[in-house]
Amino acid sequence: MLRVSNVRKAFGPDESAYVALDGIDLHINEGEIVCLLGPSGCGKSTLLQVLSGLIPHSVEVPMKTEKLECPPSWGYVFQDPDSQFCMPFVDEEIAFVLENLAIPRKEMSSIIHKLLQQVGLKLNNVHTNIQSLSGGMKQRVILIISTILDPEFLIADEITSALDVSSQRFVA
């Protein structure tokens, strides 16, 4: 499903550059759950961006690899949920994805409520400003928009790092 061989990614213009990845080989089969562990700055996020194809396809930065096989569809939950929102309100954010799926507008409200219920997000009003949500609530909205397209592969970059214990348990 996913394979990279001998990945090398350095940041900087010359040989004194910071090497984030060097000689990384990884193969992930369908259905596997993989956790990357390491200290801050060791290249975990960079590797996830390579595995998704963000690097080098969407973010054009130099990288070397012998093989890069990425799944055709993937969802990505970034470390900072605020970096993924494009709409100011919860219902509008989810509706944006539903519109891209050509879901009729009259069906969206019930789908939005169902999706919020599935991730355990209880809101008094679905037209809530995203910036008024806690970090855990934002992560749950991101989980909805990252999985609504039913991706073959889901990447979650430090998805629980800023969450309270109950939210961490739910996400895990």
Side-chain angles (χ1 to χ4, degrees), residues 9 14 30 47 64-65 69 73 114 128 150 154 165:
K9 173 68 192 105
D14 54 30
E30 185 174 341
L47 179 58
K64 293 179 183 176
T65 184
E69 295 175 8
S73 68
K114 179 182 171 189
T128 297
D150 195 26
L154 179 64
V165 174

Side-chain angles (χ1 to χ4, degrees), residues 71-139:
S73 68
W74 46 269
Y76 203 117
V77 180
F78 289 90
Q79 286 178 353
D80 175 17
D82 289 320
S83 68
Q84 287 188 259
F85 295 118
C86 61
M87 304 302 281
F89 297 97
V90 172
D91 58 337
E92 292 176 356
E93 184 70 34
I94 298 169
F96 180 75
V97 180
L98 295 174
E99 286 174 349
N100 286 301
L101 291 171
I103 302 295
R105 194 170 291 276
K106 64 182 182 225
E107 296 175 24
M108 286 186 189
S109 180
S110 65
I111 293 171
I112 290 169
H113 282 89
K114 179 182 171 189
L115 291 168
L116 290 169
Q117 184 178 22
Q118 286 176 347
V119 298
L121 186 52
K122 297 174 181 143
L123 300 173
N124 292 331
N125 180 358
V126 295
H127 193 67
T128 297
N129 188 305
I130 289 172
Q131 295 310 310
S132 71
L133 301 178
S134 70
M137 295 168 97
K138 289 177 182 178
Q139 286 289 41

Side-chain angles (χ1 to χ4, degrees), residues 45-80:
S45 294
T46 301
L47 179 58
L48 293 177
Q49 291 175 20
V50 169
L51 295 177
S52 69
L54 282 173
I55 294 176
H57 304 298
S58 296
V59 179
E60 294 183 26
V61 293
M63 178 192 82
K64 293 179 183 176
T65 184
E66 289 175 11
K67 179 177 277 200
L68 176 58
E69 295 175 8
C70 301
S73 68
W74 46 269
Y76 203 117
V77 180
F78 289 90
Q79 286 178 353
D80 175 17

